[in-house]
Amino acid sequence: MERSRIAGRGKPRPPQTFRYEKPAAQSGAKAIVSLCQTDIIRGAVQVVREGGDNNLHSHTGMDGFWMVLSGRVRWHGPDGVIGEFGVHEGIVMPRNARYWFESVGTDPLELLQVVAFDRGVRNERVDVEPRKLDVDATERFDGRT
């Protein structure tokens, strides 16, 4: 049996290219620039203005890799601060880990976010505390080329 059938793959998808540019016209507290996505991985950059933060939550079927491109971020867990990270520092959040983060300092926070999905688990966001930002108000930009 050929290798792709053993791995459960069909026809390979074409490669995706992208280019990240910080949104020039961001008006809200948070913007997301989508870079690429397949059925098991997604890449994006979140741009969070000073004081922007989210709520304590988790994801049931998604592991997240976060790296600061500019600015500073303070990462929180259910028991307090996990760490504060600057440029080229970051964190990996396993699925079901509860967290929230906030932009700290005066420079806009730019966070590279790469997430991987467990295809055997339905991914849901589980809010532990009320949301601080209106998710529907998050501006979205496309970085795919």
Side-chain angles (χ1 to χ4, degrees):
M1 191 177 282
E2 90 183 52
R3 180 175 162 77
S4 66
R5 290 185 52 146
I6 293 171
R9 292 186 234 149
K11 182 179 177 184
R13 297 175 183 197
Q16 297 175 32
T17 62
F18 59 87
R19 177 181 177 86
Y20 171 68
E21 292 184 24
K22 183 177 169 188
Q26 178 183 348
S27 60
K30 184 175 182 180
I32 297 175
V33 179
S34 297
L35 301 176
C36 55
Q37 183 168 349
T38 71
D39 60 329
I40 61 172
I41 192 168
R42 178 177 66 212
V45 175
Q46 292 194 19
V47 182
V48 185
R49 294 200 171 171
E50 180 181 1
D53 61 5
N54 57 17
N55 62 309
L56 186 64
H57 69 282
S58 64
H59 299 274
T60 59
M62 182 178 86
D63 289 1
F65 164 99
W66 302 82
M67 186 175 81
V68 176
L69 300 177
S70 72
R72 291 193 68 76
V73 66
R74 186 173 300 126
W75 217 269
H76 301 264
D79 299 320
V81 174
I82 297 172
E84 189 169 310
F85 308 105
V87 174
H88 300 151
E89 297 176 325
I91 192 168
V92 169
M93 294 304 298
R95 68 186 76 88
N96 296 312
R98 296 181 299 163
Y99 71 94
W100 67 279
F101 63 85
E102 63 182 321
S103 174
V104 294
T106 56
D107 294 331
L109 172 63
E110 294 174 81
L111 275 173
L112 174 62
Q113 176 193 28
V114 179
V115 297
F117 297 97
D118 180 340
R119 291 175 30 175
V121 175
R122 182 172 177 215
N123 183 50
E124 294 181 302
R125 178 185 169 123
V126 178
D127 290 315
V128 179
E129 296 175 344
R131 292 187 182 186
K132 297 176 186 176
L133 291 173
D134 178 3
V135 175
D136 296 329
T138 299
E139 295 174 273
R140 300 191 182 272
F141 299 87
D142 193 353
R144 291 172 278 197
T145 57

